[in-house]
Amino acid sequence: MNSNTVIVIFAPTACGKTALTRDIFGKSSLSYFKGLGEVVSADSQAVYKGLDIGTAKPDEDEQKDIPHHLIDVVTPDVQFGVGEFIELADECCEDIIERGLYPVVTGGTGFYIRNFLMGLPVTPISNVYIRDGLKHRIENEGNFVLYEELKEKDPVSAKKINVHDAYRIVRALEVFYASGRPLSSYELPSSLRKKFRFITIILDRDRKDLYSRINERVDRMFLQGLADEVTQLKASGFTKDSPGMKAIGYSEFFMSDLSSIEEIKERIKKDSRRYAKRQYTFMRDIPGAVTFDADDKDGILDYLQRSV
């Protein structure tokens, strides 16, 4: 084993990465890597406590089979961004490697994974006055107004940001107004960070099949009690303005134009499909990344054995 190796597996929601990771690295696995890996979750929603069903968090049996890190990190009223993710992911990977195991960074948040692999771009220092003004505006005018503003000022960044992601909308506008330049104009790192030796796998699945799996997953979430989970979160004092509640699967429950559970369910399906498509854009041109069909477990296992 290379003592600095980190395995990275990216795939959008419902692609099958969780089952694949468990099949290869879990204690119940029959593979060469049985019990040799621990998951570092790269999921921007699973970091929030209480957001369980809508984020498809691993259950107790799954976590016994393969330990998971970076889930249930903060409460839904706390902002958690890519900077915090990289810092904590690095700490987790170092600890797992020190114990003689493989960190397996896996998730569907392409923005997190790309920056974990490549590092963050150098952008202007945060301007508290501009940021606070934009936060005040987004609270009073709503995400959609500022998102439309971002589309005009920095259309490239806007394409990569979800309209419900108030934090990133504010940050992109803050950079523009602080520097006079769009966030997308700042040079992105073009090489992998030297901190670890990365083995990066991107899982692909036929788009029609993926969308069908997403729809089935959302149906399953409602059967498991997603609506009740949201009700409990609201009763705990979390609102549409809480960072965690802006996640897909939760924000839709606050939309005034949706009047029934069925409408909410269909909107979650639509938002999830669009999100899955967009996440692949973050994984373009990652040095050394290899793409496999999501069902090609044997091919992936062979590649990992040859690569570690």
Side-chain angles (χ1 to χ4, degrees):
M1 172 181 175
N2 185 302
S3 61
N4 212 33
T5 297
V6 173
I7 297 167
V8 178
I9 301 176
F10 165 80
T13 183
C15 199
K17 60 186 174 296
T18 301
L20 174 74
T21 303
R22 188 176 180 183
D23 284 347
I24 293 176
F25 296 98
K27 294 182 180 70
S28 60
S29 169
L30 299 177
S31 85
Y32 165 84
F33 294 98
K34 175 181 179 178
L36 293 180
E38 293 187 6
V39 168
V40 179
S41 171
D43 187 320
S44 61
Q45 301 176 1
V47 298
Y48 290 108
K49 299 175 183 177
L51 275 64
D52 301 327
I53 297 172
T55 63
K57 279 182 190 167
D59 59 27
E60 187 176 341
D61 287 340
E62 289 173 316
Q63 294 194 56
K64 284 181 180 177
D65 193 37
I66 178 168
H68 282 65
H69 304 269
L70 297 194
I71 58 174
D72 294 333
V73 177
V74 295
T75 53
D77 57 338
V78 176
Q79 185 67 59
F80 187 95
V82 66
E84 290 87 352
F85 168 73
I86 293 173
E87 180 180 357
L88 294 179
D90 279 357
E91 292 176 3
C92 288
C93 289
E94 289 167 355
D95 173 65
I96 294 167
I97 289 170
E98 190 174 324
R99 289 185 280 109
L101 301 173
Y102 292 104
V104 186
V105 178
T106 180
T109 305
F111 180 66
Y112 276 16
I113 291 181
R114 183 178 188 90
N115 284 281
F116 174 72
L117 290 166
M118 311 285 283
L120 293 166
V122 177
T123 53
I125 296 174
S126 182
N127 185 307
V128 64
Y129 300 106
I130 293 175
R131 184 179 69 247
D132 286 350
L134 289 166
K135 283 183 177 179
H136 180 74
R137 285 188 57 202
I138 212 162
E139 289 170 0
N140 288 278
E141 301 174 39
N143 287 16
F144 291 94
V145 173
L146 270 73
Y147 185 73
E148 289 299 316
E149 189 171 317
L150 178 61
K151 284 167 65 176
E152 177 186 342
K153 305 297 185 184
D154 186 359
V156 175
S157 292
K159 285 182 180 179
K160 299 178 181 179
I161 298 175
N162 190 296
V163 68
H164 303 303
D165 193 339
Y167 175 81
R168 292 182 62 206
I169 293 171
V170 166
R171 177 56 180 158
L173 284 172
E174 177 192 353
V175 168
F176 178 82
Y177 289 123
S179 68
R181 290 172 51 187
L183 177 63
S184 57
S185 71
Y186 286 86
E187 186 174 352
L188 297 172
S190 59
S191 59
L192 298 173
R193 292 196 297 152
K194 305 300 183 184
K195 189 176 185 69
F196 301 109
R197 172 180 175 262
F198 296 109
I199 299 172
T200 306
I201 293 172
I202 299 172
L203 302 183
D204 192 22
R205 187 174 288 281
D206 173 76
R207 191 63 52 82
K208 184 177 180 181
D209 182 26
L210 177 61
Y211 288 174
S212 176
R213 290 168 66 96
I214 288 172
N215 291 341
E216 290 172 4
R217 170 173 282 189
V218 174
D219 285 336
R220 201 158 52 243
M221 287 174 174
F222 275 84
L223 289 174
Q224 292 169 342
L226 177 58
D228 291 337
E229 181 174 273
V230 174
T231 298
Q232 291 172 6
L233 288 163
K234 289 179 178 179
S236 298
F238 302 116
T239 71
K240 65 181 180 64
D241 296 318
S242 302
M245 303 305 286
K246 297 180 186 298
I248 294 174
Y250 297 89
S251 61
E252 291 83 1
F253 283 87
F254 295 95
M255 293 181 178
S256 59
D257 61 326
L258 304 178
S259 57
S260 69
I261 288 295
E262 193 60 35
E263 288 179 330
I264 293 171
K265 182 194 297 185
E266 292 306 310
R267 178 67 66 87
I268 293 174
K269 290 178 181 179
K270 180 180 178 180
D271 289 346
S272 298
R273 294 192 300 265
R274 293 172 66 180
Y275 181 73
K277 180 180 179 180
R278 188 166 57 250
Q279 291 311 291
Y280 276 114
T281 65
F282 290 104
M283 299 304 294
R284 290 175 183 162
D285 305 318
I286 297 290
V290 178
T291 300
F292 283 91
D293 183 276
D295 291 326
D296 186 12
K297 186 179 77 171
D298 290 339
I300 294 168
L301 183 56
D302 178 67
Y303 175 71
L304 287 172
Q305 288 181 256
R306 288 186 286 108
S307 300
V308 297

PDB file of all heavy atoms in Angstrom, residues 108-119:
ATOM      1  N   GLY A 108     -21.488  12.812  -4.288  1.00  0.00           N
ATOM      2  CA  GLY A 108     -22.025  13.374  -5.518  1.00  0.00           C
ATOM      3  C   GLY A 108     -21.879  14.869  -5.634  1.00  0.00           C
ATOM      4  O   GLY A 108     -22.395  15.471  -6.580  1.00  0.00           O
ATOM      5  N   THR A 109     -21.196  15.495  -4.659  1.00  0.00           N
ATOM      6  CA  THR A 109     -21.005  16.935  -4.734  1.00  0.00           C
ATOM      7  C   THR A 109     -19.708  17.208  -5.492  1.00  0.00           C
ATOM      8  O   THR A 109     -18.620  17.260  -4.910  1.00  0.00           O
ATOM      9  CB  THR A 109     -20.962  17.568  -3.324  1.00  0.00           C
ATOM     10  OG1 THR A 109     -22.154  17.196  -2.621  1.00  0.00           O
ATOM     11  CG2 THR A 109     -20.892  19.096  -3.426  1.00  0.00           C
ATOM     12  N   GLY A 110     -19.841  17.367  -6.801  1.00  0.00           N
ATOM     13  CA  GLY A 110     -18.674  17.541  -7.660  1.00  0.00           C
ATOM     14  C   GLY A 110     -17.836  18.745  -7.285  1.00  0.00           C
ATOM     15  O   GLY A 110     -16.608  18.729  -7.413  1.00  0.00           O
ATOM     16  N   PHE A 111     -18.484  19.819  -6.825  1.00  0.00           N
ATOM     17  CA  PHE A 111     -17.777  21.031  -6.421  1.00  0.00           C
ATOM     18  C   PHE A 111     -16.818  20.730  -5.277  1.00  0.00           C
ATOM     19  O   PHE A 111     -15.673  21.198  -5.262  1.00  0.00           O
ATOM     20  CB  PHE A 111     -18.796  22.092  -6.011  1.00  0.00           C
ATOM     21  CG  PHE A 111     -18.200  23.401  -5.575  1.00  0.00           C
ATOM     22  CD1 PHE A 111     -17.509  24.199  -6.471  1.00  0.00           C
ATOM     23  CD2 PHE A 111     -18.357  23.848  -4.272  1.00  0.00           C
ATOM     24  CE1 PHE A 111     -16.954  25.408  -6.070  1.00  0.00           C
ATOM     25  CE2 PHE A 111     -17.815  25.058  -3.861  1.00  0.00           C
ATOM     26  CZ  PHE A 111     -17.113  25.839  -4.767  1.00  0.00           C
ATOM     27  N   TYR A 112     -17.261  19.942  -4.304  1.00  0.00           N
ATOM     28  CA  TYR A 112     -16.413  19.552  -3.183  1.00  0.00           C
ATOM     29  C   TYR A 112     -15.243  18.691  -3.665  1.00  0.00           C
ATOM     30  O   TYR A 112     -14.085  18.909  -3.289  1.00  0.00           O
ATOM     31  CB  TYR A 112     -17.220  18.755  -2.153  1.00  0.00           C
ATOM     32  CG  TYR A 112     -18.000  19.591  -1.162  1.00  0.00           C
ATOM     33  CD1 TYR A 112     -18.240  20.946  -1.373  1.00  0.00           C
ATOM     34  CD2 TYR A 112     -18.508  19.012  -0.004  1.00  0.00           C
ATOM     35  CE1 TYR A 112     -18.968  21.695  -0.459  1.00  0.00           C
ATOM     36  CE2 TYR A 112     -19.229  19.754   0.923  1.00  0.00           C
ATOM     37  CZ  TYR A 112     -19.456  21.093   0.688  1.00  0.00           C
ATOM     38  OH  TYR A 112     -20.170  21.821   1.610  1.00  0.00           O
ATOM     39  N   ILE A 113     -15.566  17.690  -4.473  1.00  0.00           N
ATOM     40  CA  ILE A 113     -14.532  16.740  -4.894  1.00  0.00           C
ATOM     41  C   ILE A 113     -13.489  17.413  -5.774  1.00  0.00           C
ATOM     42  O   ILE A 113     -12.283  17.189  -5.615  1.00  0.00           O
ATOM     43  CB  ILE A 113     -15.175  15.529  -5.599  1.00  0.00           C
ATOM     44  CG1 ILE A 113     -15.960  14.688  -4.573  1.00  0.00           C
ATOM     45  CG2 ILE A 113     -14.122  14.679  -6.286  1.00  0.00           C
ATOM     46  CD1 ILE A 113     -16.621  13.459  -5.138  1.00  0.00           C
ATOM     47  N   ARG A 114     -13.917  18.248  -6.716  1.00  0.00           N
ATOM     48  CA  ARG A 114     -12.953  18.913  -7.586  1.00  0.00           C
ATOM     49  C   ARG A 114     -11.979  19.770  -6.764  1.00  0.00           C
ATOM     50  O   ARG A 114     -10.769  19.734  -6.989  1.00  0.00           O
ATOM     51  CB  ARG A 114     -13.664  19.783  -8.622  1.00  0.00           C
ATOM     52  CG  ARG A 114     -12.671  20.423  -9.588  1.00  0.00           C
ATOM     53  CD  ARG A 114     -13.301  21.267 -10.664  1.00  0.00           C
ATOM     54  NE  ARG A 114     -12.289  21.649 -11.619  1.00  0.00           N
ATOM     55  CZ  ARG A 114     -11.960  20.964 -12.706  1.00  0.00           C
ATOM     56  NH1 ARG A 114     -12.601  19.853 -12.986  1.00  0.00           N
ATOM     57  NH2 ARG A 114     -10.994  21.370 -13.508  1.00  0.00           N
ATOM     58  N   ASN A 115     -12.504  20.536  -5.829  1.00  0.00           N
ATOM     59  CA  ASN A 115     -11.639  21.397  -5.031  1.00  0.00           C
ATOM     60  C   ASN A 115     -10.781  20.596  -4.055  1.00  0.00           C
ATOM     61  O   ASN A 115      -9.662  21.011  -3.729  1.00  0.00           O
ATOM     62  CB  ASN A 115     -12.472  22.443  -4.300  1.00  0.00           C
ATOM     63  CG  ASN A 115     -12.934  23.560  -5.215  1.00  0.00           C
ATOM     64  OD1 ASN A 115     -12.175  24.466  -5.537  1.00  0.00           O
ATOM     65  ND2 ASN A 115     -14.180  23.491  -5.668  1.00  0.00           N
ATOM     66  N   PHE A 116     -11.265  19.465  -3.607  1.00  0.00           N
ATOM     67  CA  PHE A 116     -10.456  18.580  -2.771  1.00  0.00           C
ATOM     68  C   PHE A 116      -9.265  18.052  -3.568  1.00  0.00           C
ATOM     69  O   PHE A 116      -8.137  17.971  -3.062  1.00  0.00           O
ATOM     70  CB  PHE A 116     -11.310  17.419  -2.259  1.00  0.00           C
ATOM     71  CG  PHE A 116     -10.539  16.381  -1.496  1.00  0.00           C
ATOM     72  CD1 PHE A 116     -10.051  16.643  -0.224  1.00  0.00           C
ATOM     73  CD2 PHE A 116     -10.300  15.135  -2.052  1.00  0.00           C
ATOM     74  CE1 PHE A 116      -9.331  15.681   0.482  1.00  0.00           C
ATOM     75  CE2 PHE A 116      -9.581  14.167  -1.362  1.00  0.00           C
ATOM     76  CZ  PHE A 116      -9.096  14.436  -0.089  1.00  0.00           C
ATOM     77  N   LEU A 117      -9.504  17.714  -4.828  1.00  0.00           N
ATOM     78  CA  LEU A 117      -8.442  17.184  -5.679  1.00  0.00           C
ATOM     79  C   LEU A 117      -7.473  18.268  -6.155  1.00  0.00           C
ATOM     80  O   LEU A 117      -6.256  18.072  -6.161  1.00  0.00           O
ATOM     81  CB  LEU A 117      -9.050  16.497  -6.903  1.00  0.00           C
ATOM     82  CG  LEU A 117      -9.789  15.178  -6.674  1.00  0.00           C
ATOM     83  CD1 LEU A 117     -10.606  14.807  -7.905  1.00  0.00           C
ATOM     84  CD2 LEU A 117      -8.812  14.060  -6.336  1.00  0.00           C
ATOM     85  N   MET A 118      -8.019  19.409  -6.548  1.00  0.00           N
ATOM     86  CA  MET A 118      -7.236  20.425  -7.242  1.00  0.00           C
ATOM     87  C   MET A 118      -6.827  21.601  -6.359  1.00  0.00           C
ATOM     88  O   MET A 118      -5.894  22.342  -6.685  1.00  0.00           O
ATOM     89  CB  MET A 118      -8.031  20.966  -8.439  1.00  0.00           C
ATOM     90  CG  MET A 118      -8.633  19.905  -9.342  1.00  0.00           C
ATOM     91  SD  MET A 118      -7.431  19.096 -10.395  1.00  0.00           S
ATOM     92  CE  MET A 118      -7.196  20.350 -11.651  1.00  0.00           C
ATOM     93  N   GLY A 119      -7.537  21.801  -5.271  1.00  0.00           N
ATOM     94  CA  GLY A 119      -7.286  22.965  -4.433  1.00  0.00           C
ATOM     95  C   GLY A 119      -8.190  24.118  -4.815  1.00  0.00           C
ATOM     96  O   GLY A 119      -8.756  24.165  -5.907  1.00  0.00           O
TER      97      GLY A 119
END
